[in-house]
Amino acid sequence: MAAAAESSAHDDAQKVNASSGESDNAAIKADGEAEGQAADNVFQLTVRLPHAPYKTQIMVSTQEQVQDVRQSIVEFPSTFQYSCFHLEHDGQRINDFVELSEVTGLHAGSELTLVEDPYTEKEARIHTVRIRELIGAAGDRVDTLHGILAGASLHDSILTETEQAASSSNGNEKAASSSDAHAMTDYDFDAPGSVKTLIPPPQDAAPKTIKSISVSPWNPPPYHLRQRGHLLYLQVTTNEGEQHQITSHVSGFYVNKSSNSKFDPFPRSHPKSFSAHSLLSLIELISPSFSTSFLALQEYNNKKDPLSTFQLANAMPSNPWLVPAANSPLLAHHPDVARTQETYLISGVETSETLRDWNEEFQSTRELPRETVQDRVFRERLTSKLFADYNDAASRAAVLVARGEVAPLNPTEDRDAQIFVYNNVFFSFGADGVGTFASEGGDEAARVATGKDVMGVRAVNQLDIPGLFTPGTVVVDYMGKRLVGQSIVPGIFKQREPGEHQIDYGGVEGKDTIAENETFKPPFEKLSKALRVKKHAVWDKDGKRHDLEGSVETKGLLGTDGRKYVLDLYRITPLDVAWLEEHHEGPSKDGKIPQYPHRMAVLRPELVEAYWRMKMREYVKVEVERRREGKKEANGDSGKTLAQTNGAEEANTDKQPEDGSEVANGEVAKTENADKQETEQERIDISGFQLSLNPDVFSGQVPQTEEEKQEWARDEEEVRAACTYLNQDVLPELIHHLQEGDVGFPMDGQSLSRLLHKRGINIRYLGRVASLAQELGPRLQALKLLAEQEMVSRAFKHIANRHLRHLPVSFVGTCVAHLLNCMLGTGLNKSPSAEIDEHLRSLYSEADFGFESITPENLTAEIQAQVSLRFRYDLGAEWPSRIKPLQMLREVALKLGLQLEAKDYVFSKQSAVNGEAEVPVSNGSPATNGHSNGGKKKKKSAERNSPASSVASGSLNSPVTFSPEDILNIVPLIKDAAPRSTLAEEALEAGRISIAQNQKELGQELLLESLSLHEQIYGIFHPDVARVYYQLSMLYYGLDEKNAAVELARKAVIVSERTLGLDSSETVLSYLNLGLFEHANGNTKSALAYVRHALELWKVIYGIKHPDSITTINNAAVMLQHLKQYHESRLWFEASLSISEEVSGKQSVNTATLLFQLAQALALDQDSKGAVNRMREAYNIFLAELGAEDRNTKEAESWLEQLTQNAVSIAKHAKDLQARRLRRVNVTPRVTLGTRPQPQVGQSASDAANGTDSRSGIDLDSRSIDELMRFIEGGGDTTKRSSQKKRPGRSNPKRRGGGAVGATA
């Protein structure tokens, strides 16, 4: 939704969301064991109304503010019409901003009175906007910032589509609605991903309540009528076709006597004298059909999950990369006179209401008190809302700047050096317009520095150091340009006196002049301590020494408001000297590969933190050994910081030596495990441990004295050691974990990047990741291809940005389409040409049309060169053949912000001949799709290539994969500096620890508190809230709270779709777990529908046969067994075995485990011969890999013996089961035939299974065939089965990332 009432409608949605979240939380709590405490502060009030129904009841909490009660009233269907009112209690007006607990005499059963207030012009405008939204009269919008179908959700359509497909596939059978129909019918494992997976199904049009409502041409009221209370003039056309002129008066709304040609804004005479306090009530009076149609609209809206329709207030909605065609009913463009009037309705004539002093708001919010929990909640909630508003406003302005809509403050400067101010935000380009980074790599270095700067600002914001302030910062990438938006720091443009520096602390205009200010040292010291930055000396151009707390590049500015600001935070960590020496200075000597393009290659903060923990472990080990050798019992001083060692030093060193308010990367100091069973514990005093890194080594500083040189050499050695740790420990460890299946496997470039960053690995090491993966087993071939795909897509992004940067907007679609054709469309057309309208070209004489000269050959070579330059990796000449076109198209679209028309693009002549997709033709002639009689496709092709839409100028009749019309929109990509809520994360971590310590009640209370805090602080629609829903759903599943787990998983799905993306890897995992929890809750058919949708998404994201899909396919097979679809279940087990053989090898333990399960499935499918063969294969592998004495080998041998000797019995038992002649066998179901949660990317399976440690070895099923079949047929007790899921996962710890599915838990 576009500009709709940021001052009201956004807040409205947020408050509704919060109240919705609170009610859901109450439901979850009621489902758990903490039910008794849920209703302590909740009670019912009665509200007296001035109009029918005259009374309403409302549930409230003592902790709510009166404005929350107001908002609830506004959102109730029976009280929609009220928006301008106040509440009274015992005849006294209640302040909107006090808590209900502060209202004297208010208790359960109390009565409040709603009193309608007179309108102001602002209230009348906002009321009009709200009513337009409410009655569905707002129409569609074209938004500056948000793209097509921004914030869409597919969740509601999945079960509906599945039901329709099932009924149509069984339409001619008696079983049309029988239990046999399910979502997995006709699923094809080898079919490629379909773009239709990402498109919402067609929807029926919403009921029309009114034809139009807009501002009247007579608006605004003349001066003399303003004095009489006239506020606005509106024009309403009802469904009956009658047009009414309406006056908005301080007393309400009434129909006036004006017409289109006559001005008479006074009330009509009886019987047409309609008036009401609310515009909604007035429309109901003047339109007989309105009440019926409005009720129908509410019913239409109630069919959807409220979460999928609420407006996003505190986060950017995700923009799908595939969207319906421009002529789709989903994107219908309707006439709406008021569409262009909304800015006035929201902001007023002067628009001054929307101009905000962002910097003052940021800093005054930072200065709010934080002593109590209530203070922190209010402060963090306000901070979250403020960052969301700023990011939205700055991003909108950045788009206008990039499109040339905003005049620069310095128009005479070079284009890259121009600066802008719009909406009180200062903008500059992420390029080296003034030569600041000339020695570091020019534009390349400047672009990287802006990204690092926003990351540094976020880190400082997260640390929240009192007395240290940062400007609001956002980086926006749009159409090849990078823009940096910052709130205007008071005094930053001030002309200083002669001799005064523009900067008060740090380097001034480079490193030649260095400023010092004693007042900056205390806050900078805290900052440096938290970031592991060493206090060190630097030298100016005269060789004078200056001791700085931070990098010389990090600057301190004393604003004219008296606040201390920290600026330029792109160098808060040291340079990656190992990389620079090898690739920036070194390779140019032999001339084979050019130098790395810039010197801004710094270590990631996560790596510095990991290195600090590693050194801490070493320190603790040395201290332990020293004490043991000396046989001394040391009791550390209670006043000192203590670390506890009991053989698990790694966990202990996660604790920070600083106090909890100053922890690097925002990590909250973890609660120490105080319940260790050991009576004697060694305590090591770590106050003597010191480790910090000098960020300015290897950056041109020249020590003067011998002592300084020695100190500098020690600093350099420490940084080199950190670089060595990255290369020799962190990288190989990650590859090892992925190879062994210890962590969830990445699905796409985004999840791979996030995994690398979490480990402290920079993206420039993708080439190293691919090389290491290539050296190891078949499982890592998927990682190699994924890394190559990410490198190629990033190289393409750099090339495309270079061509788009100075290209007029009108040619962006042509440029992108041509570049895509040259990379992905060569299978259809080896020599695509860019089609440019010569008339349009003549209008832009200074534009750079260099993209015309791009050919597939030189683009391929340039991509290869860029990958070699940026990632030091040789793709090889045959790399285009290894590309998966659809997945590469998705990666490129996400990195450039493209929104493409959703259709099956033709990437080869073979698919064109087979008629698999539509083929655009470069000169606008009719397209061919391989079907001579395809009426609909011909019609669509004709529409696409009509003269109105074609701007082609070429004469070649050659089909191409992409045409300019396929690029429907480009959206900005935004990097912000918003901090996370430490309070909510502390509660979540405390809840996790309590559950791990088996304190279930306390743990659930803390988890609910964390959920409530997340929703209060962020609102419901926020990526962090989606992630906490996901984590809590897993925890509740582990606690056997199935209903709560399903509800949280459903929320995780919808919020993930709307904020992270319809096809993000996190959304896929949320769908998989929702399916798992629905199955555990008895809704197996719904579960299969969700799992199928996740698998279809997986095909689009990654393609077929992802390593972790083995777990999902196994889960689906188990679900099919519960539906007694034994044959289909067998096919799914076979599919998972096929992938395992490719990924892990045919002789791997993992494959043997799957063979074991498949043998059981074959037995159920009455294929006794196949069962014996598969079990024999499993036994042979276990025997070879694990030995004859291993428990798994013995169990496989036992099963093989039974299957071999009892082939006849199998058939007999199957018949017995069909005849329902079951013998009672008391057996606890084992975990083999259960389902298991899917671990997140980079998460271990033990973490996915609620933090329990996996047992060593592989657990196979030791039951008899009778018991196995009894379990599947439902003979097992469901409570036993559900309780079994809480047991530790019995899987091979070396195969926990999706490979170990033999013992799914």
Side-chain angles (χ1 to χ4, degrees):
M1 202 167 285
E6 289 180 344
S7 57
S8 174
H10 280 194
D11 292 336
D12 292 352
Q14 185 184 10
K15 291 167 187 170
V16 175
N17 295 349
S19 63
S20 170
E22 287 165 12
S23 64
D24 286 335
N25 293 349
I28 291 169
K29 183 173 283 190
D31 195 51
E33 297 183 2
E35 182 178 0
Q37 301 175 10
D40 287 352
N41 301 323
V42 178
F43 58 93
Q44 189 177 67
L45 292 176
T46 300
V47 181
R48 295 181 62 88
L49 307 171
H51 309 292
Y54 300 109
K55 273 190 181 183
T56 189
Q57 273 75 38
I58 181 172
M59 295 298 296
V60 297
S61 163
T62 53
Q63 296 176 346
E64 290 182 11
Q65 291 186 339
V66 176
Q67 63 177 349
D68 296 324
V69 179
R70 278 180 52 98
Q71 193 58 41
S72 298
I73 293 171
V74 166
E75 297 299 335
F76 281 157
S78 60
T79 51
F80 272 150
Q81 70 265 36
Y82 302 107
S83 69
C84 186
F85 62 90
H86 69 267
L87 295 172
E88 293 183 355
H89 178 56
D90 291 341
Q92 298 294 316
R93 180 169 182 154
I94 310 173
N95 189 311
D96 286 346
F97 298 97
V98 301
E99 288 189 359
L100 293 179
S101 58
E102 299 175 27
V103 179
T104 305
L106 192 68
H107 52 78
S110 291
E111 196 169 80
L112 300 179
T113 304
L114 186 151
V115 180
E116 294 175 330
D117 285 336
Y119 287 94
T120 62
E121 188 206 330
K122 178 181 178 180
E123 289 283 359
R125 286 190 280 105
I126 297 303
H127 181 78
T128 304
V129 169
R130 180 175 173 273
I131 298 302
R132 270 172 50 83
E133 298 281 352
L134 190 62
I135 65 177
D140 62 298
R141 297 180 174 89
V142 179
D143 192 88
T144 307
L145 179 61
H146 303 151
I148 303 166
L149 293 184
S153 171
L154 299 175
H155 172 269
D156 292 345
S157 65
I158 290 166
L159 295 181
T160 307
E161 283 184 332
T162 305
E163 291 164 4
Q164 292 173 351
S167 62
S168 63
S169 65
N170 298 319
N172 298 324
E173 303 174 11
K174 293 180 182 178
S177 59
S178 75
S179 61
D180 291 340
H182 58 81
M184 295 306 184
T185 306
D186 301 327
Y187 182 81
D188 187 349
F189 291 99
D190 296 322
S194 171
V195 297
K196 296 181 177 62
T197 307
L198 300 178
I199 302 303
Q203 300 175 359
D204 296 331
K208 194 80 174 168
T209 59
I210 197 169
K211 285 190 175 178
S212 72
I213 175 170
S214 61
V215 177
S216 167
W218 298 111
N219 195 68
Y223 295 103
H224 66 287
L225 293 178
R226 287 189 211 171
Q227 306 302 318
R228 301 181 62 175
H230 290 213
L231 303 173
L232 298 172
Y233 298 133
L234 306 174
Q235 184 172 287
V236 173
T237 304
T238 64
N239 279 349
E240 291 79 14
E242 295 184 6
Q243 186 182 87
H244 299 272
Q245 298 283 342
I246 293 175
T247 297
S248 169
H249 191 265
V250 291
S251 61
F253 296 81
Y254 62 81
V255 179
N256 64 38
K257 293 185 280 189
S258 296
S259 67
N260 286 336
S261 56
K262 184 187 73 171
F263 179 60
D264 187 354
F266 296 99
R268 283 186 177 184
S269 56
H270 190 76
K272 295 185 177 181
S273 56
F274 299 112
S275 65
H277 187 265
S278 168
L279 181 58
L280 185 71
S281 303
L282 180 62
I283 295 173
E284 196 170 351
L285 294 173
I286 62 179
S287 174
S289 66
F290 176 78
S291 295
T292 305
S293 57
F294 184 48
L295 190 61
L297 177 66
Q298 290 175 263
E299 291 174 355
Y300 174 86
N301 290 333
N302 288 338
K303 292 178 183 176
K304 303 176 183 177
D305 191 300
L307 285 177
S308 64
T309 56
F310 277 147
Q311 187 175 353
L312 275 68
N314 274 18
M316 294 286 181
S318 67
N319 295 296
W321 66 278
L322 283 174
V323 292
N327 57 3
S328 165
L330 290 169
L331 304 183
H333 194 48
H334 301 292
D336 181 12
V337 174
R339 187 184 290 120
T340 54
Q341 301 171 346
E342 282 187 339
T343 303
Y344 158 72
L345 287 171
I346 294 167
S347 308
V349 176
E350 308 297 332
T351 69
S352 58
E353 294 171 22
T354 59
L355 285 177
R356 299 164 64 174
D357 186 343
W358 296 110
N359 193 75
E360 182 58 33
E361 287 191 49
F362 274 121
Q363 314 319 336
S364 57
T365 302
R366 188 180 291 274
E367 291 171 333
L368 288 172
R370 59 181 98 178
E371 281 73 29
T372 66
V373 173
Q374 289 82 359
D375 287 342
R376 292 179 66 187
V377 170
F378 178 76
R379 183 174 179 269
E380 291 189 359
R381 183 177 182 179
L382 192 60
T383 299
S384 175
K385 177 64 176 168
L386 178 58
F387 270 98
D389 290 349
Y390 173 76
N391 294 339
D392 185 89
S395 301
R396 289 178 187 279
V399 169
L400 295 177
V401 171
R403 295 174 75 96
E405 307 284 349
V406 180
L409 297 180
N410 53 344
T412 59
E413 299 283 345
D414 183 69
R415 191 157 40 178
D416 287 340
Q418 290 178 346
I419 56 176
F420 308 80
V421 172
Y422 189 85
N423 203 4
N424 277 347
V425 181
F426 171 75
F427 292 97
S428 59
F429 287 108
D432 193 22
V434 294
T436 305
F437 295 94
S439 62
E440 306 289 326
D443 286 349
E444 288 276 2
R447 186 180 181 90
V448 172
T450 55
K452 296 292 182 187
D453 182 47
V454 76
M455 189 172 73
V457 173
R458 188 189 309 123
V460 175
N461 289 341
Q462 190 66 51
L463 293 168
D464 201 12
I465 296 170
L468 193 62
F469 300 88
T470 58
T473 307
V474 69
V475 170
V476 179
D477 290 322
Y478 183 65
M479 290 190 181
K481 304 176 183 69
R482 170 163 285 193
L483 284 139
V484 186
Q486 294 180 305
S487 60
I488 302 172
V489 175
I492 196 167
F493 295 127
K494 176 185 174 184
Q495 292 296 322
R496 302 281 181 118
E497 296 294 327
E500 277 190 314
H501 298 311
Q502 199 72 23
I503 294 297
D504 296 291
Y505 191 78
V508 182
E509 299 296 331
K511 306 164 192 170
D512 291 344
T513 306
I514 296 171
E516 289 188 85
N517 186 322
E518 289 299 320
T519 62
F520 275 85
K521 287 191 175 180
F524 266 64
E525 183 180 2
K526 293 179 182 177
L527 175 64
S528 298
K529 186 178 180 182
L531 296 176
R532 319 290 184 208
V533 172
K534 180 179 181 179
K535 180 177 180 179
H536 60 280
V538 294
W539 296 265
D540 58 24
K541 61 183 177 182
D542 300 323
K544 182 181 177 183
R545 173 176 173 147
H546 303 267
D547 289 324
L548 295 181
E549 293 288 348
S551 167
V552 69
E553 306 285 359
T554 302
K555 301 171 177 60
L557 174 71
L558 188 62
T560 54
D561 56 0
R563 298 185 177 109
K564 299 179 185 67
Y565 292 88
V566 57
L567 309 172
D568 292 351
L569 287 158
Y570 52 82
R571 281 279 300 278
I572 59 175
T573 55
L575 292 171
D576 186 353
V577 64
W579 178 274
L580 290 175
E581 287 183 347
E582 184 178 354
H583 302 300
H584 187 72
E585 287 89 4
S588 60
K589 296 175 183 176
D590 56 23
K592 291 180 181 178
I593 306 175
Q595 284 187 341
Y596 192 66
H598 59 80
R599 289 194 86 254
M600 290 301 299
V602 296
L603 298 174
R604 290 192 63 82
E606 297 92 338
L607 187 278
V608 173
E609 193 64 25
Y611 180 69
W612 184 91
R613 288 198 298 268
M614 185 271 292
K615 298 295 282 187
M616 166 69 86
R617 285 195 297 272
E618 292 182 354
Y619 175 84
V620 170
K621 285 178 183 177
V622 169
E623 287 294 305
V624 169
E625 289 301 319
R626 185 177 61 79
R627 288 193 178 187
R628 286 176 180 171
E629 288 174 6
K631 295 182 179 181
K632 295 178 180 178
E633 290 289 335
N635 293 319
D637 185 359
S638 60
K640 296 179 180 179
T641 308
L642 298 177
Q644 193 171 337
T645 66
N646 53 12
E649 290 98 348
E650 181 169 355
N652 298 331
T653 53
D654 285 343
K655 301 175 181 63
Q656 308 296 333
E658 293 85 13
D659 49 33
S661 62
E662 301 167 16
V663 183
N665 303 320
E667 291 183 4
V668 181
K670 294 178 175 60
T671 307
E672 292 191 10
N673 294 331
D675 61 343
K676 300 296 180 185
Q677 296 178 358
E678 302 175 13
T679 56
E680 293 184 3
Q681 296 174 340
E682 294 183 350
R683 291 178 172 268
I684 306 300
D685 181 1
I686 63 168
S687 60
F689 174 74
Q690 295 291 335
L691 176 74
S692 52
L693 300 178
N694 182 343
D696 286 326
V697 292
F698 306 108
S699 61
Q701 292 293 328
V702 183
Q704 301 298 306
T705 69
E706 196 60 35
E707 184 181 348
E708 291 171 349
K709 290 176 181 177
Q710 291 175 1
E711 177 72 17
W712 201 257
R714 286 193 293 271
D715 291 349
E716 289 182 343
E717 195 59 37
E718 195 69 70
V719 171
R720 285 189 189 277
C723 296
T724 303
Y725 174 67
L726 168 61
N727 283 278
Q728 296 185 4
D729 292 324
V730 177
L731 268 166
E733 182 183 48
L734 172 64
I735 300 301
H736 176 73
H737 286 167
L738 289 171
Q739 183 188 22
E740 294 299 314
D742 288 344
V743 296
F745 206 88
M747 299 182 194
D748 61 352
Q750 191 177 47
S751 57
L752 175 60
S753 301
R754 196 163 55 244
L755 174 60
L756 293 179
H757 286 163
K758 190 175 179 181
R759 298 288 184 112
I761 303 170
N762 304 82
I763 292 297
R764 60 179 172 272
Y765 283 96
L766 273 173
R768 178 88 188 281
V769 168
S771 298
L772 289 171
Q774 191 169 10
E775 297 168 4
L776 300 173
R779 176 180 172 85
L780 291 183
Q781 288 308 300
L783 178 63
K784 174 190 172 240
L785 292 175
L786 200 55
E788 287 186 343
Q789 177 179 284
E790 181 68 0
M791 287 187 282
V792 170
S793 62
R794 286 176 177 269
F796 182 90
K797 176 192 74 173
H798 286 290
I799 295 167
N801 282 340
R802 189 176 71 241
H803 289 290
L804 291 173
R805 190 170 165 190
H806 299 307
L807 196 65
V809 175
S810 310
F811 298 97
V812 167
T814 303
C815 175
V816 171
H818 179 61
L819 291 174
L820 289 175
N821 281 326
C822 289
M823 181 171 71
L824 299 175
T826 53
L828 181 66
N829 186 336
K830 291 186 176 180
S831 304
S833 58
E835 303 293 340
I836 296 180
D837 187 320
E838 292 299 332
H839 173 66
L840 271 180
R841 185 208 292 266
S842 65
L843 299 176
Y844 298 95
S845 57
E846 297 181 0
D848 179 7
F849 293 96
F851 71 90
E852 280 183 294
S853 61
I854 294 288
T855 65
E857 293 75 20
N858 60 30
L859 180 62
T860 299
E862 189 170 4
I863 288 174
Q864 195 170 340
Q866 285 286 330
V867 169
S868 178
L869 174 70
R870 297 178 184 279
F871 306 104
R872 320 315 270 189
Y873 181 76
D874 183 12
L875 283 172
E878 74 289 348
W879 71 264
S881 64
R882 299 197 297 271
I883 280 181
K884 293 184 273 190
L886 181 61
Q887 286 70 37
M888 180 61 73
L889 178 62
R890 175 180 178 272
E891 293 292 347
V892 166
L894 292 176
K895 287 175 174 58
L896 292 174
L898 306 179
Q899 290 193 292
L900 307 171
E901 180 180 333
K903 64 181 185 180
D904 292 320
Y905 290 99
V906 180
F907 298 108
S908 68
K909 289 182 179 178
Q910 184 61 38
S911 58
V913 170
N914 293 338
E916 294 178 6
E918 300 162 37
V919 186
V921 178
S922 60
N923 69 345
S925 60
T928 174
N929 56 19
H931 293 284
S932 58
N933 58 352
K936 288 185 178 180
K937 291 190 175 181
K938 280 188 175 180
K939 181 178 179 182
K940 187 170 181 179
S941 296
E943 288 173 357
R944 284 180 47 80
N945 296 286
S946 62
S949 64
S950 176
V951 294
S953 59
S955 59
L956 295 175
N957 184 14
S958 55
V960 288
T961 304
F962 302 94
S963 71
E965 291 79 17
D966 293 329
I967 288 78
L968 298 181
N969 187 34
I970 297 186
V971 295
L973 304 176
I974 301 156
K975 298 179 181 179
D976 64 59
R980 301 185 310 276
S981 165
T982 54
L983 184 62
E985 289 185 356
E986 283 169 4
L988 179 61
E989 185 64 23
R992 278 206 196 101
I993 291 172
S994 297
I995 288 174
Q997 295 173 349
N998 208 26
Q999 298 176 352
K1000 183 178 176 183
E1001 290 188 24
L1002 174 61
Q1004 284 186 288
E1005 279 297 310
L1006 289 167
L1007 293 178
L1008 282 170
E1009 182 64 25
S1010 169
L1011 180 58
S1012 174
L1013 288 169
H1014 273 90
E1015 291 178 341
Q1016 283 184 62
I1017 290 166
Y1018 295 118
I1020 283 183
F1021 297 106
H1022 193 279
D1024 285 346
V1025 177
R1027 293 178 183 117
V1028 84
Y1029 283 148
Y1030 179 91
Q1031 294 170 42
L1032 290 181
S1033 69
M1034 300 279 285
L1035 289 165
Y1036 274 96
Y1037 177 70
L1039 294 169
D1040 207 24
E1041 300 284 355
K1042 296 176 185 174
N1043 291 329
V1046 167
E1047 178 62 22
L1048 288 164
R1050 183 185 61 81
K1051 285 185 172 186
V1053 162
I1054 298 176
V1055 180
S1056 293
E1057 284 187 319
R1058 301 195 65 195
T1059 61
L1060 295 167
L1062 293 173
D1063 60 345
S1064 79
S1065 59
E1066 292 177 75
T1067 301
V1068 173
L1069 292 172
S1070 296
Y1071 265 116
L1072 290 174
N1073 278 346
L1074 175 58
L1076 177 66
F1077 303 157
E1078 285 282 17
H1079 167 66
N1081 220 17
N1083 302 320
T1084 301
K1085 288 189 176 180
S1086 298
L1088 286 170
Y1090 292 130
V1091 171
R1092 175 162 187 157
H1093 180 69
L1095 287 171
E1096 296 288 0
L1097 288 176
W1098 218 328
K1099 286 182 177 181
V1100 174
I1101 296 172
Y1102 174 82
I1104 60 175
K1105 299 184 179 179
H1106 185 276
D1108 278 3
S1109 65
I1110 302 172
T1111 302
T1112 301
I1113 294 172
N1114 242 38
N1115 285 348
V1118 173
M1119 293 177 192
L1120 288 168
Q1121 284 185 342
H1122 279 267
L1123 293 179
K1124 302 174 186 176
Q1125 302 287 331
Y1126 298 131
H1127 183 68
E1128 287 198 46
S1129 172
R1130 160 192 178 168
L1131 298 178
W1132 282 71
F1133 277 124
E1134 288 173 345
S1136 67
L1137 174 63
S1138 172
I1139 299 174
S1140 179
E1141 288 178 341
E1142 282 190 32
V1143 169
S1144 304
K1146 291 190 176 183
Q1147 297 303 310
S1148 68
V1149 174
N1150 196 52
T1151 299
T1153 311
L1154 285 169
L1155 284 165
F1156 185 98
Q1157 261 191 316
L1158 177 58
Q1160 295 174 335
L1162 290 169
L1164 289 171
D1165 199 28
Q1166 301 182 25
D1167 183 355
S1168 56
K1169 181 179 178 182
V1172 169
N1173 291 335
R1174 291 302 195 183
M1175 190 59 73
R1176 182 177 292 113
E1177 291 178 44
Y1179 169 72
N1180 290 335
I1181 296 173
F1182 283 139
L1183 184 62
E1185 297 292 325
L1186 302 177
E1189 297 304 313
D1190 187 85
R1191 180 167 50 89
N1192 302 294
T1193 309
K1194 290 181 178 180
E1195 289 187 11
E1197 184 179 20
S1198 172
W1199 268 88
L1200 178 59
E1201 200 173 302
Q1202 291 182 61
L1203 289 170
T1204 305
Q1205 294 177 359
N1206 299 305
V1208 176
S1209 297
I1210 294 171
K1212 177 180 179 297
H1213 285 306
K1215 290 176 182 177
D1216 289 345
L1217 288 170
Q1218 289 171 2
R1220 294 292 181 220
R1221 294 199 300 272
L1222 298 175
R1223 290 175 297 164
R1224 291 181 178 273
V1225 178
N1226 293 323
V1227 57
T1228 302
R1230 297 291 294 275
V1231 295
T1232 303
L1233 290 167
T1235 51
R1236 63 180 289 180
Q1238 184 82 38
Q1240 287 180 294
V1241 174
Q1243 179 191 35
S1244 68
S1246 59
D1247 291 339
N1250 312 316
T1252 55
D1253 293 326
S1254 295
R1255 288 172 44 178
S1256 60
I1258 308 161
D1259 242 359
L1260 298 178
D1261 205 318
S1262 60
R1263 291 171 290 152
S1264 70
I1265 297 167
D1266 289 349
E1267 296 164 358
L1268 168 65
M1269 299 182 74
R1270 182 182 311 286
F1271 173 48
I1272 295 172
E1273 285 290 350
D1277 189 318
T1278 55
T1279 59
K1280 289 181 181 178
R1281 183 160 67 248
S1282 63
S1283 66
Q1284 181 65 27
K1285 289 188 177 70
K1286 295 195 294 181
R1287 295 169 62 182
R1290 302 184 176 190
S1291 60
N1292 178 4
K1294 293 186 176 181
R1295 283 315 202 212
R1296 288 177 296 187
V1301 294
T1304 49

